[in-house]
Amino acid sequence: MTSDYALMVVGLLIALFAVVTVVKAVRIVPQARARNVERLGRYLRTLQPGLNFVIPYIDRVYPMIDLREQVVSFRPQPVITEDNLVVEIDTVLYFQVTDPRAAAYEIADYLQAVEQLTVTTLRNVVGSMDLEETLTSRDRINSLLRGVLDEATGKWGLRVNRVEIKAIDPPRTIKDAMEKQMRAERDKRAAILSAEGQRQSQILTAQGDKQGAILRAEGERAAAILKAEGQSRAIDEVFQAVHRNDPDPKLLAYQYLQVLPQLAQGEGNTFWVIPSEVTSALQGVSKAFSEAVPRSPATRERTVESDELAAIAKEDAAQAEEAAAEAVADAAVPEGVPHPNGSPQRPA
């Protein structure tokens, strides 16, 4: 019974050992991965993606190495520029393992080595530039870093595809000075634009005033021309009408008497002189209304009016004669002298 139990235990141990041996002999490597194999402490080969077999207990399989492109962001590093200003530069590195054997045996920690090499190269490159050149030359810095890193990491089985500067942070005082400078530049541009706008506005306003003055002057000239033409035509029509109707001196004397009261209506007229022709004009008017008025060529074709209309005309003529006589008497009396009717003469 004891021997059977012992045989069973031994059999189980052998089976377990065989299973472990088979498991250790089979290695499956995923795509874009690689594993180095050492036999008795010496590099043997690199396992490729897929199913691989090794000798258990003799071959040692190291952890997998990622062959895909990797991204590493390094913490900000202080760098001194040529004008002795300390700036914090944050970099991002894109690299890829091309030789798993060299990455495992040529360098102990390739990530740390790449980081230190990046910082050293960055300080050498930025140390030859001033702050303004550093802030505006990112592409140049990236190109120099990539060239140096790619050359140095080639023997480590790495290929640096790209190096990017993520941020460049100058000191706080420099930031404040830069903000003031930018604010001054913006204020300057705003003042220039405002002045330019005002200049354009004044130019346009002056041009508009000029055109408006020209148009107003042209309008006034045209109005004066039209007014003069109208007056000329009116005078011509009156002149033609007068000569066409052939007026006699009596009618002209009556018109003269009608104008005399209007001469005394001005505000600045304190007195006015009655010409000597007024007497003869009055005599002509009285004769004109007492005698038969000869017909002018323009009235020879008219028919004789009725007796009633003639009486009304005669009465109106008498009233006009009386009003003309009173106007002449008022005009002849000096200022301050009592009027013949009893009331003092009012200044004209």
Side-chain angles (χ1 to χ4, degrees):
M1 185 65 182
T2 304
S3 61
D4 293 338
Y5 181 75
L7 290 174
M8 185 177 61
V9 172
V10 171
L12 290 175
L13 291 176
I14 293 173
L16 181 61
F17 177 76
V19 171
V20 172
T21 301
V22 171
V23 171
K24 294 179 67 68
V26 177
R27 291 291 186 270
I28 298 176
V29 179
Q31 184 66 34
R33 307 289 195 280
R35 302 185 72 172
N36 294 324
V37 179
E38 291 181 357
R39 178 170 292 175
L40 300 177
R42 184 177 181 180
Y43 172 76
L44 177 63
R45 63 192 176 94
T46 300
L47 301 181
Q48 300 299 322
L51 182 62
N52 298 272
F53 295 96
V54 296
I55 300 176
Y57 313 112
I58 297 177
D59 295 340
R60 182 182 177 183
V61 181
Y62 281 85
M64 286 185 294
I65 299 176
D66 197 342
L67 302 180
R68 295 172 297 178
E69 185 174 4
Q70 302 179 45
V71 181
V72 180
S73 178
F74 301 129
R75 63 180 183 273
Q77 298 292 333
V79 180
I80 301 176
T81 60
E82 187 179 12
D83 48 356
N84 297 325
L85 293 175
V86 179
V87 295
E88 298 286 338
I89 300 180
D90 191 2
T91 56
V92 179
L93 180 67
Y94 298 83
F95 72 95
Q96 185 177 10
V97 177
T98 58
D99 188 357
R101 177 184 175 280
Y105 295 102
E106 296 295 335
I107 187 75
D109 188 351
Y110 58 83
L111 287 179
Q112 184 180 4
V114 169
E115 180 181 4
Q116 296 301 321
L117 182 61
T118 301
V119 173
T120 304
T121 306
L122 187 62
R123 288 176 178 173
N124 292 334
V125 173
V126 176
S128 60
M129 302 180 181
D130 56 12
L131 178 61
E132 185 176 357
E133 187 178 2
T134 301
L135 295 175
T136 58
S137 303
R138 293 196 177 192
D139 293 338
R140 178 185 172 190
I141 296 173
N142 294 338
S143 178
L144 293 175
L145 285 175
R146 182 181 178 281
V148 173
L149 291 175
D150 195 16
E151 181 181 358
T153 58
K155 63 180 181 179
W156 299 341
L158 305 177
R159 183 178 66 220
V160 177
N161 297 326
R162 194 172 183 179
V163 180
E164 292 289 342
I165 295 179
K166 186 166 62 175
I168 300 177
D169 296 328
R172 184 63 186 176
T173 56
I174 301 299
K175 287 183 179 180
D176 296 339
M178 293 172 64
E179 290 178 359
K180 292 180 180 179
Q181 182 180 2
M182 293 301 298
R183 191 180 302 111
E185 289 291 334
R186 288 194 296 269
D187 294 341
K188 175 183 176 182
R189 289 196 296 268
I192 292 174
L193 292 176
S194 178
E196 185 68 21
Q198 292 179 359
R199 185 175 72 89
Q200 292 292 336
S201 176
Q202 293 176 358
I203 291 174
L204 294 176
T205 302
Q207 291 178 353
D209 294 341
K210 176 183 176 182
Q211 294 178 358
I214 292 173
L215 294 176
R216 284 193 297 272
E218 291 179 352
E220 292 175 357
R221 184 187 65 179
I225 293 173
L226 293 176
K227 184 177 181 180
E229 290 179 354
Q231 293 177 354
S232 175
R233 291 181 181 178
I235 294 173
D236 185 67
E237 290 293 334
V238 172
F239 181 79
Q240 294 296 332
V242 169
H243 283 271
R244 198 168 46 245
N245 295 324
D246 190 15
D248 55 359
K250 297 177 181 180
L251 177 61
L252 297 177
Y254 177 71
Q255 294 293 330
Y256 180 75
L257 291 176
Q258 287 183 338
V259 174
L260 285 178
Q262 298 178 2
L263 297 177
Q265 294 179 359
E267 296 180 357
N269 295 334
T270 57
F271 71 94
W272 52 283
V273 179
I274 301 175
S276 60
E277 290 83 357
V278 172
T279 306
S280 59
L282 290 175
Q283 294 175 359
V285 170
S286 59
K287 290 181 180 180
F289 288 102
S290 61
E291 298 177 359
V293 180
R295 296 182 180 178
S296 64
T299 58
R300 289 173 182 173
E301 297 179 358
R302 297 182 180 178
T303 59
V304 180
E305 297 180 351
S306 61
D307 295 339
E308 185 178 354
L309 293 177
I312 293 174
K314 187 175 181 181
E315 184 180 355
D316 291 340
Q319 292 178 359
E321 182 179 358
E322 184 181 355
E326 291 179 359
V328 171
D330 292 339
V333 177
E335 182 180 359
V337 178
H339 192 269
N341 295 332
S343 59
Q345 184 183 6
R346 185 177 52 187

